[in-house]
Amino acid sequence: MAMAAANIGMMDGAYFVGRNEILTWINTTLQLNIAKVEEACPGAVQCQMMDMVHPGVVPMHKVNFDAKSEYEMIQNYKVLQDVFNKLKIPKHIEVNRLVKGRPLDNLEFLQWLKRYCDSINGGITNENYNPLERRSKGGKERGSKVSNKATKTLQSNSAGRVSTDHDYYGPKMTKVDNSEKEQQILELSEKLGDMELTLNNMEKERDFYFSKLRDIEILCQRHELEHLPITKAIQKILYAADATESPLPEAQGIIDMSPDLIPDESA
C-alpha cells in the first residue's frame, strides 16, 4: 500500500485535498502553528512527518528547523531524499521549486506526503510520538522555535499595526475595524488560493485527456490504419466541430456501411 501511494498519479484524489485540510493535518499532528503551506518550504516539516511514520529512520539531528537560506533548506531535502532512498520510495523531490516557496508546488508535495503517511498503518499515528521532543533533536537545537515562531510573528506584527493605527487615526480607532479587515483579506486570500487549486486541477485534467486523444489521433494516422472504416469513424468523432450535435450516429453509419466490420450471425 505504501509503495502504491508513492506512485500515485496526478489525477489521484490525493491532489484534490484542500490546503486548509493539509494545514490542519500538519498543525494537529506535529503541534505546529503554520498558516500557509509555503511555510513548510524549508523541508523540516516533511522530515518530521517521515520521522513519525518511520521511527528511527530520519536522522533528526541533521534536520534544521530554523532553515532560512536556500542552502539550509536544500540540506533538509537532502536528508529527506536519503530517507526516501533508504525506504526505496520512488519519489523525486523537486527541491529547486519547493525552496522558492511557491504555494502550489509546496501544496502538491504536501498532498502527496499526506497520502503516503495515510497509507502507513492505515493513517493511525503513533500515540507515543512526541513531536516537540523529537524537534529538540533537530539541527542546532532550534526545534523549539518552530512551534512558537508563527505565533510570535503574528503577535509582533499585530502589536506594531495597532500602535501605528492608534497614533494615526486617534484613540477612537478600534481594533475591531482592523480585525474585520484582516479577516476579510484572509478569507479572500483563501478563496483565491482555492480557485488557483481548482484551476490547476482542471488544467491537469484537461492535459490528461488531451494526451489520450492525441495518442488516439497518432494511432489513427498510421499508414496501415488510416484508410480503415473504423479509423475514419474514430476521426469523425475526434474532429467533430459542432459541440451541440453528437457525431456518433454518422460514425456508426460509416461502420454499418462496411460489411467486413459487421459480424456474420449465421456463422
Side-chain angles (χ1 to χ4, degrees):
M1 179 65 179
M3 188 61 68
N7 287 298
I8 60 176
M10 291 306 295
M11 293 310 298
D12 189 274
Y15 291 106
F16 292 88
V17 176
R19 66 188 65 205
N20 288 337
E21 184 176 344
I22 293 293
L23 289 173
T24 300
W25 171 64
I26 292 174
N27 290 332
T28 302
T29 305
L30 300 183
Q31 297 180 28
L32 291 173
N33 189 26
I34 65 174
K36 300 177 181 179
V37 292
E38 54 266 36
E39 290 180 25
C41 71
V45 166
Q46 294 86 331
C47 287
Q48 188 166 15
M49 281 295 184
M50 293 301 293
D51 179 63
M52 179 192 67
V53 296
H54 294 291
V57 176
V58 181
M60 293 295 288
H61 64 282
K62 294 183 178 180
V63 180
N64 185 352
F65 287 94
D66 199 27
K68 291 182 176 62
S69 69
E70 287 192 8
Y71 173 78
E72 292 174 322
M73 297 178 189
I74 289 171
Q75 301 310 306
N76 283 341
Y77 283 111
K78 284 184 178 180
V79 173
L80 186 62
Q81 189 68 69
D82 286 343
V83 171
F84 283 3
N85 294 340
K86 285 181 185 178
L87 298 171
K88 294 181 168 49
I89 300 174
K91 175 67 175 176
H92 175 67
I93 304 174
E94 298 286 351
V95 178
N96 291 334
R97 299 174 66 176
L98 293 171
V99 297
K100 299 296 183 184
R102 296 171 182 169
L104 287 178
D105 290 331
N106 280 273
L107 176 60
E108 286 182 2
F109 188 66
L110 291 171
Q111 287 169 328
W112 174 88
L113 183 65
K114 184 177 188 305
R115 176 60 180 274
Y116 176 81
C117 292
D118 287 347
S119 72
I120 306 297
N121 299 326
I124 300 174
T125 57
N126 182 1
E127 294 182 356
N128 296 322
Y129 186 79
N130 187 329
L132 295 175
E133 181 181 342
R134 291 298 294 165
R135 276 200 292 280
S136 70
K137 307 291 184 183
K140 303 180 182 180
E141 298 284 324
R142 294 184 294 189
S144 60
K145 293 185 180 180
V146 177
S147 59
N148 298 322
K149 181 179 179 182
T151 302
K152 289 181 178 178
T153 301
L154 289 174
Q155 290 175 345
S156 175
N157 291 342
S158 176
R161 284 195 297 271
V162 171
S163 175
T164 302
D165 291 338
H166 185 278
D167 294 340
Y168 186 81
Y169 291 105
K172 292 185 179 180
M173 179 63 183
T174 64
K175 297 180 182 180
V176 176
D177 293 334
N178 285 337
S179 178
E180 289 178 353
K181 290 178 181 178
E182 290 175 0
Q183 182 62 31
Q184 289 176 354
I185 293 173
L186 180 60
E187 291 176 357
L188 289 173
S189 298
E190 290 180 353
K191 287 181 180 179
L192 180 60
D194 291 338
M195 289 174 65
E196 289 178 352
L197 178 60
T198 300
L199 177 61
N200 189 49
N201 288 330
M202 289 176 66
E203 289 177 345
K204 289 177 185 176
E205 189 170 3
R206 176 203 63 193
D207 295 342
F208 175 77
Y209 289 110
F210 177 82
S211 65
K212 288 191 174 296
L213 292 173
R214 178 57 181 155
D215 290 342
I216 294 173
E217 182 183 40
I218 293 173
L219 189 63
C220 290
Q221 291 172 348
R222 292 186 57 168
H223 179 70
E224 64 271 27
L225 300 177
E226 61 181 351
H227 300 298
L228 296 177
I230 187 66
T231 302
K232 293 180 179 179
I234 293 173
Q235 289 176 329
K236 178 66 68 175
I237 296 174
L238 283 176
Y239 300 137
D242 191 348
T244 61
E245 186 176 348
S246 174
L248 184 59
E250 191 173 353
Q252 288 177 329
I254 295 175
I255 297 176
D256 292 341
M257 293 176 62
S258 305
D260 294 341
L261 296 179
I262 302 175
D264 187 358
E265 296 181 356
S266 62

